Amino acid sequence: MSTTPPVLAAELAQAWADIQRHHPELPDLAAPESLIGESSSACGAELSFERLLHEAVHGIAAARGVRDTSRAGRYHNRRFLAIAEELGLDHPEEPHPSSGFSLVTLSPEARKRYRTTIDRLQRALKAHTVATTAETSRTFRGPAARHGSSGGGVRVKAVCDCGRNVRVVPSVLAQAPIMCGGCGKPFRIPEPVAAVG
């Protein structure tokens, strides 16, 4: 099995399609790779089938025009919980004070229904973790070290000559230039200015 991120993205897309077979109103997943390395304290930091099913709840809520969160997406309300239960997710009786009903878990029925999908996705996630852990110990990580960042998700400001700026993970910028839509020039991480003393 290949351990490259595109393979993991393909496995995520396949798992999403498996959920769609049971819930046809679930919209397509536009960018499976966007879930890789992303974290949200409200939706769960660890990528897993349970997290994917949680995201599917949001997808169905959006398709139905249901507002399932508040407080900038952190608090998951009872409308979220109702759809989560439809998809086979359980939750304790009482909501979490800051994230509401976001702490959902797979029901035994859902675990049984998606057993093959869960196993396949877990293998792909494990292979991806092994590959990326091995890669980071022997590869150049870009300018992150000069800026006190590990490059593992910490974003720094990259600037363009026209004055625009973006926040970016340094290792992503090291892979290829990110071009400014305003002037067409690449964003860069500015060199630290030495203190005058």
Side-chain angles (χ1 to χ4, degrees):
M1 169 190 278
S2 172
T3 56
T4 58
V7 171
L8 178 54
E11 289 295 342
L12 286 166
Q14 181 59 52
W16 191 265
D18 291 348
I19 298 168
Q20 284 178 311
R21 273 196 288 285
H22 295 281
H23 304 280
E25 69 182 306
L26 178 62
D28 290 339
L29 183 58
E33 59 277 4
S34 68
L35 294 172
I36 301 169
E38 288 294 317
S39 66
S40 162
S41 59
C43 296
E46 186 177 326
L47 185 54
S48 64
F49 182 75
E50 194 169 79
R51 164 115 185 270
L52 197 63
L53 206 54
H54 177 125
E55 296 298 335
V57 173
H58 291 304
I60 288 177
R64 293 178 182 174
V66 171
R67 185 170 177 195
D68 62 340
T69 63
S70 59
R71 300 182 197 163
R74 289 185 308 273
Y75 191 88
H76 293 57
N77 60 35
R78 290 194 182 275
R79 291 181 292 273
F80 170 86
L81 181 58
I83 298 171
E85 289 171 349
E86 288 178 40
L87 270 67
L89 292 167
D90 289 333
H91 190 279
E93 289 297 316
E94 295 301 315
H96 185 274
S98 62
S99 62
F101 293 100
S102 70
L103 304 174
V104 290
T105 57
L106 279 172
S107 68
E109 298 82 18
R111 192 171 300 281
K112 184 177 177 182
R113 176 186 308 139
Y114 294 110
R115 179 177 293 134
T116 303
T117 305
I118 292 167
D119 291 345
R120 194 178 62 237
L121 185 57
Q122 283 178 333
R123 282 193 304 273
L125 286 165
K126 183 177 179 184
H128 176 71
T129 300
V130 168
T132 55
T133 301
E135 287 172 9
T136 58
S137 64
R138 63 176 199 270
T139 58
F140 175 66
R141 296 187 67 157
R146 292 197 310 265
H147 300 282
S149 165
S150 67
V154 178
R155 289 174 169 81
V156 297
K157 183 165 76 170
V159 298
C160 177
D161 292 337
C162 72
R164 298 178 74 211
N165 64 69
V166 295
R167 291 272 175 192
V168 64
V169 176
S171 60
V172 171
L173 192 60
Q175 292 172 11
I178 297 175
M179 307 306 285
C180 175
C183 70
K185 293 184 179 175
F187 284 95
R188 61 183 168 69
I189 297 173
E191 291 295 327
V193 178
V196 177

